[in-house]
Amino acid sequence: MKKSLALLAAIVCFAACKKEITPLELPVSSFIEPIEIPRVEFGFTFNDFDVVQDTIRKGDSFGQLLFNNNLSYSEIANITAAVKDSFDLRKLDLNPYTILKSKDSLNKPQVFIYQPNRIDYVVVDFRDTIVAQRKSKPVTIVKNTASGVINSTLSETIEEQGLSYNIANDLSSIYAWTIDFFKLQKGDRFKIVYTEKYIDDTTYVGIDQIKSSYFEHNNKPFYAFQFVADTINNIPDYFDEEAKTLRKAFLKAPLKFSTRISSRFTRRRFHPVQRRWKAHKGTDYAAQRGTPIISTANGTVTKSGYTRGNGNYVKIRHNATYSTQYLHMSKRKSKVGEFVKQGEVIGYVGSTGLASGPHVCYRFWKNGRQVDPYKQKLPEAKPMDPNMVPVYLEFIKNPKRELDNISFQETNL
Ligand SMILES: [Zn+2]
């Protein structure tokens, strides 16, 4: 913002100064010359070209787009061949592009710019030697804070405040092992410090990362601070105020947060399809058909198949003690023998087998017996290296103070 304002001010000043030094005897009309504000994008001054900007549509190709803009098929073939090792021009998705054409009478394309996303772009320059270069717009990281009190669901609370959906997603990932987002209480509340990405100084392109957060669930506080404890792999992770990892060996649920539990583990329930009383040795999560189902822990797929009762289902063995199973999938995504990581998509919600509507029935085995995972004390993930703990505790002093100073934002409905 500041930079563009400064630029604008400079242009205005330049125009004003120009006016002052113009001889007074000239007729006023000669001053009214359009001021050309130089528009620089992707490192090119657009004013020097005829600019064609659009988005690639279904059926468009690089060849067709450039042919329509005065390039011959042989010239197009030359360009495509010359850059094929650095960029495949035959594989363009439906993204924005720019063609810079010469301003002379030939009006020939000279540069083609393709934007696979809002940050990265590819410049194919064929003014002289044909070259393709992958570039990125400079990204500015800006720190921001947010807070909220939950009325209904986490995603709704976050949406009501005009915050990005990704915040809800990231927050639920941080606490996936700690807080059951299917059991949030009215009045649960959160505070977060996060970073956002901007390009061209003012254009918001999305959430970067959650740096620290505080989640109050059932009046219990849960802090999370991002920290690189694994200095070998340099992967940041989240830990609480006592340097304990927030990860557990098992996720709380086989789906992300935006669903509801429709039936819990019980010795006796009325089966909605069979219409009789029987034990329900699983937890049903109702969700839209097609919602990704994730493995709650690392493990090996031992079964991936179909039965009349289970429909499409996947069973995963996590270790000698624990196995989990996921039923009624519309589609399976993992094969027997495959190793799946915690959080990996193994199938999609459906209603195959004995199911009254789309849901996933999550079953949990401990030593060969089906149990309620929510009543188990489940194993913790690897703790932080003891040598790193003092470093961490020093590191979180400021972030914690920062979090504690954020006040809660109530949503007024
Ligand atoms: Zn079930």
Side-chain angles (χ1 to χ4, degrees), residues 70-94:
N70 307 335
L71 222 56
S72 71
Y73 279 124
S74 67
E75 286 168 311
I76 292 163
N78 277 344
I79 295 165
T80 312
V83 303
K84 75 173 194 305
D85 292 333
S86 43
F87 187 70
D88 193 349
L89 283 166
R90 291 160 308 174
K91 285 181 188 156
L92 302 180
D93 290 324
L94 310 182

Side-chain angles (χ1 to χ4, degrees), residues 401-412:
R401 201 171 304 133
E402 191 178 14
L403 264 183
D404 290 342
N405 285 335
I406 302 170
S407 51
F408 286 107
Q409 185 93 45
E410 293 263 2
T411 318
N412 297 315

Side-chain angles (χ1 to χ4, degrees), residues 9 14-15 30 47-48 55 75 152 163 174 180 195 229 253 275 290 364 384 392 394:
F14 177 69
S30 70
N47 313 54
D48 298 344
T55 299
E75 286 168 311
S152 47
L163 294 167
I174 292 171
D180 190 344
T195 46
R275 307 203 63 77
F364 198 95
M384 188 190 290
Y392 173 81
E394 187 56 38

Side-chain angles (χ1 to χ4, degrees), residues 228-235 385:
V228 180
D230 177 356
T231 48
I232 296 161
N233 297 311
N234 216 27
I235 299 165
D385 176 354

Side-chain angles (χ1 to χ4, degrees), residues 299-334:
T300 306
V301 177
T302 52
K303 279 175 187 164
S304 175
Y306 182 93
T307 66
R308 214 173 62 86
N310 294 352
N312 281 312
Y313 76 104
V314 168
K315 190 171 182 180
I316 299 164
R317 184 186 189 271
H318 304 290
N319 53 34
T321 314
Y322 298 106
S323 291
T324 55
Q325 200 184 34
Y326 312 78
L327 314 184
H328 313 306
M329 293 175 169
S330 57
K331 223 175 114 191
R332 284 175 280 126
K333 201 184 170 281
S334 36

Side-chain angles (χ1 to χ4, degrees), residues 83 86-87 112 114 121-125 131-136:
V83 303
S86 43
F87 187 70
F112 177 77
Y114 172 68
Y121 59 97
V122 181
V123 176
V124 184
D125 191 332
V131 278
Q133 278 182 299
R134 286 168 194 275
K135 297 186 173 188
S136 301

